[in-house]
Amino acid sequence: MSSPLPSSPAASVLDLAPVVPVVVVDDLADAVPLARALVAGGLPAIEVTLRTPVALDAIRAIAGEVPGAVVGAGTVITPEQVGEVVAAGARFLVSPGWTDRLLEAMRGSGVPFLPGVSTTSEVVALLERGVREMKFFPAEAAGGTAYLRALSAPLPQARFCPTGGITPASAPDYLALPNVDCVGGSWMLPKDAIAGRDWGRVEALAREAAGLSAGGTCR
């Protein structure tokens, strides 16, 4: 049984968990056990970034073999990639930035999406186009919690999933903000655990991350 991501194209990936793991799969054999560990730890929304040659196959494998996983694609930067990842089984899309062409393709995909922003003007431009849910990237480098807090008063309708440089120590500060529903991160996927295929450790770290909350709960 798959995790409860609503079927509507307007549905939100921000509702699934306080943390969305950002996954880079180098070895295709790791994709399924890694995803199973994350789901077992309480993190069903899994963003597989398109940074390696096996990323599409990893999305396809997780979508087909991991009950409970809601696998999405990250680092989506072209309209062509949108079609490829949705065909592979991606149920949400995340981009580090956006253009009108990319936004049009994501809108037409039929799945939820989080276009990336790092400036106030980009946020306003997306709001003008009817998009309220965004990825704030690179979060720490772009101003962190102070920047997002400053945006909350003039632009309260914008909702964010900040990603980039977030740690277990800083995640609660982001999640306490009124305009942050979830954060993206990879701290529950330490390189030595992946190299050693220590899926029990990944599950334990995922469980700790799943215990975080946004303003009391990640809606």
Side-chain angles (χ1 to χ4, degrees):
M1 183 177 179
S2 62
S3 292
L5 183 66
S7 59
S8 166
S12 174
V13 70
L14 302 183
D15 294 340
L16 289 174
V19 178
V20 176
V22 179
V23 179
V24 179
V25 179
D26 292 301
D27 187 337
L28 183 58
D30 293 339
V32 167
L34 184 156
R36 285 175 175 158
L38 292 172
V39 172
L43 298 180
I46 301 170
E47 176 188 336
V48 176
T49 64
L50 300 183
R51 302 181 192 176
T52 68
V54 301
L56 271 178
D57 287 332
I59 290 170
R60 191 173 291 110
I62 294 170
E65 300 180 41
V66 186
V70 178
V71 63
T75 324
V76 177
I77 59 174
T78 71
E80 292 74 22
Q81 286 176 327
V82 170
E84 292 171 351
V85 299
V86 171
R91 296 176 62 192
F92 64 92
L93 309 171
V94 183
S95 67
W98 65 277
T99 66
D100 280 321
R101 284 187 67 239
L102 180 58
L103 188 65
E104 181 180 359
M106 290 192 293
R107 279 189 190 277
S109 70
V111 301
F113 57 91
L114 294 174
V117 297
S118 61
T119 69
T120 306
S121 293
E122 290 172 317
V123 175
V124 171
L126 282 178
L127 291 174
E128 187 179 78
R129 289 160 174 78
V131 178
R132 296 179 61 248
E133 298 180 346
M134 311 166 196
K135 171 181 177 174
F136 181 62
F137 176 83
E140 286 289 283
T145 56
Y147 194 99
L148 285 171
R149 186 178 295 109
L151 290 181
S152 65
L155 301 171
Q157 63 271 54
R159 317 303 302 172
F160 298 99
C161 177
T163 305
I166 297 176
T167 67
S170 63
D173 294 332
Y174 280 96
L175 291 167
L177 296 173
N179 54 353
V180 170
D181 286 341
C182 300
V183 300
S186 56
W187 70 83
M188 72 296 298
L189 300 162
K191 290 183 179 180
D192 59 337
I194 303 302
R197 293 180 171 167
D198 187 350
W199 308 126
R201 183 180 171 199
V202 171
E203 180 180 339
L205 290 171
R207 186 168 290 109
E208 291 177 6
L212 300 173
S213 63
T217 180
C218 185
R219 296 178 295 258

